[in-house]
């Protein structure tokens, strides 16, 4: 039996992303091409890896086992390739680092600037917490800056997490219209992050804990747009402290809530990934 690494990666991505269409988008392939390659993998392994129900597929128990073993196999292959490329045991190769908006300039960029390894390249990818863990699991990125407070996405057993920092969460009000707490915003319009995101889930939870359902007047995946919305007097919002740009004229109130910022990698990551992880920890 000969296992093709590329087809193993497609199977691993199917486990992480859930649908053939999502795998196709991540791999820049057509859905039919992905299905064909997975069928070839079934033939190569002499094992049924997929169950077809109508137009959808799901992994069999054997498919799940192989998909999760595949991540470890692919990581080990990356490690071997990096070692062969390395000179004088220097970390080498490309490491893909994903982080949410406000962590890019405060944590990721300083960490990259600390690195002094000529054969090590770091590719930065903006990924919010709701998207970063699936990307890490599927192998699209090697390291993520995220938060373990995002209860909608529990940390899998094969992921190692390193604490980086803890930051307060802020209530934002328009200039001249300060709000003392969440309860005072019951009748205010709100600027929210996109549905399913960490900040949208947090803001919804805080409002419901205060006894009301928020009236959403805008949804923005960009913190600058949220700040501009509040500055214009069109609503209130909740943002982590790192995202509050002092160039915007908004009133801030620290809430009794914090966000735990963490880095995460797949277990048994290669040396270059560990080097980037260590740089993040030093810069935090």
């Amino acid at each position: 039996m000969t296992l093709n690494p590329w087809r193993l990666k497609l199977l691993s991505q199917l486990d992480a992303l859930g649908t053939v269409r999502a795998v196709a988008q991540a791999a820049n392939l057509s859905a039919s091409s992905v299905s064909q390659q997975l069928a070839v993998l079934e033939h190569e392994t002499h094992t049924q890896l997929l169950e077809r129900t109508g137009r959808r597929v799901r992994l069999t128990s054997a498919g799940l086992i192989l998909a999760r073993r595949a991540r470890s196999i692919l990581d080990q292959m990356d490690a071997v390739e990096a070692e062969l490329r390395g000179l004088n045991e220097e970390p080498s190769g490309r490491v893909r680092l994903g982080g949410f908006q406000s962590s890019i300039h405060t944590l990721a960029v300083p960490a990259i600037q600390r690195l002094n390894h000529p054969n090590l390249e770091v590719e930065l990818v903006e990924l919010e917490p709701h998207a970063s863990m699936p990307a890490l699991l599927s192998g699209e990125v090697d390291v993520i800056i995220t938060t373990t407070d995002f209860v909608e996405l529990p940390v899998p057993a094969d992921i190692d997490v390193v604490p980086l920092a803890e930051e307060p969460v802020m209530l934002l009000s328009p200039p001249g219209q300060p709000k003392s707490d969440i309860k005072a915003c019951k009748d205010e319009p709100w600027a929210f992050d996109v549905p399913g995101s960490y900040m949208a889930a947090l803001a919804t939870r805080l409002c419901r804990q205060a006894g009301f359902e928020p009236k959403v007047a805008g949804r923005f995946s960009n913190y600058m747009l949220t700040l501009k919305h509040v500055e214009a007097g069109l609503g209130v919002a909740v943002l982590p402290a790192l995202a509050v740009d002092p160039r915007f004229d908004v009133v801030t109130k620290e809430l009794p809530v914090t966000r735990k910022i963490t880095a995460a990698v797949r277990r048994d990551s290669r040396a270059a990934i560990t080097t980037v992880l260590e740089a993040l920890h030093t810069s935090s």
Side-chain angles (χ1 to χ4, degrees):
M1 182 189 302
T2 301
L3 296 177
N4 181 288
W6 181 54
R7 287 192 270 273
L8 286 177
K9 183 175 181 180
L10 294 178
L11 187 72
S12 176
Q13 288 180 321
L14 180 59
D15 181 30
L17 301 177
T19 66
V20 169
R21 183 179 296 276
V23 174
Q25 290 175 344
N28 291 318
L29 296 170
S30 67
S32 61
S33 295
V34 172
S35 296
Q36 289 171 4
Q37 292 304 316
L38 293 174
V40 172
L41 184 60
E42 285 189 307
H43 177 73
E44 290 174 339
T45 58
H46 307 289
T47 305
Q48 183 181 355
L49 304 175
L50 307 173
E51 293 177 336
R52 294 164 179 83
T53 56
R55 299 179 64 182
R56 296 179 64 86
V57 298
R58 65 177 182 179
L59 294 174
T60 63
S61 56
L64 283 170
I65 291 171
L66 181 57
R68 290 165 189 181
R69 295 287 189 274
R71 283 199 289 269
S72 176
I73 293 169
L74 294 169
D75 285 343
Q76 289 176 18
M77 292 181 67
D78 285 343
V80 171
E81 289 178 1
E83 288 174 10
L84 291 175
R85 289 194 304 266
L87 299 173
N88 300 321
E89 299 183 352
E90 279 284 310
S92 63
R94 176 176 290 268
V95 175
R96 295 150 298 179
L97 169 58
F100 52 83
Q101 286 180 51
S102 57
S103 73
I104 296 293
H105 68 278
T106 56
L107 294 172
V109 171
I112 294 171
Q113 290 174 326
R114 283 179 174 273
L115 296 171
N116 187 26
H117 302 286
N119 298 310
L120 176 60
E121 298 178 21
V122 180
E123 177 186 344
L124 269 177
V125 183
E126 182 186 326
L127 289 171
E128 292 302 309
H130 67 281
S132 60
M133 188 62 74
L136 179 64
L137 289 170
S138 68
E140 293 177 60
V141 292
D142 304 301
V143 187
I144 58 172
I145 305 171
T146 186
T147 174
T148 52
D149 298 331
F150 192 35
V151 295
E152 284 80 357
L153 284 176
V155 179
D158 56 348
I159 297 296
D160 287 331
V161 174
V162 176
L164 295 180
E166 191 166 343
E167 64 172 330
V169 173
M170 314 298 288
L171 173 64
L172 310 183
S173 310
Q177 305 175 44
K179 300 299 178 184
S180 57
D181 55 26
I182 297 291
K183 287 183 178 180
C185 301
K186 178 179 180 180
D187 298 320
E188 298 293 327
W190 281 78
F192 263 40
D193 204 330
V194 295
S197 65
Y198 165 73
M199 286 309 303
L202 175 60
T204 300
R205 188 161 62 248
L206 291 174
C207 290
R208 288 174 178 170
Q209 288 173 352
F212 68 93
E213 195 69 25
K215 179 174 66 176
V216 180
R219 287 191 179 273
F220 310 103
S221 61
N222 187 299
Y223 291 159
M224 298 295 183
L225 295 178
T226 301
L227 288 160
K228 189 66 177 177
H229 190 85
V230 175
E231 182 182 54
L234 299 177
V236 296
V238 168
L239 286 180
L242 287 178
V244 181
D245 190 320
R247 293 175 295 179
F248 290 86
D249 184 14
V250 297
V251 181
T252 61
K253 171 69 175 180
E254 185 173 328
L255 297 173
V257 181
T258 59
R259 174 169 72 166
K260 296 179 180 66
I261 302 173
T262 59
V265 297
R266 294 185 297 276
R267 193 155 294 164
D268 301 322
S269 293
R270 55 192 167 92
I273 296 173
T274 303
T275 299
V276 173
L277 183 63
E278 290 172 352
L280 282 171
H281 191 255
T282 303
S283 297
S284 62

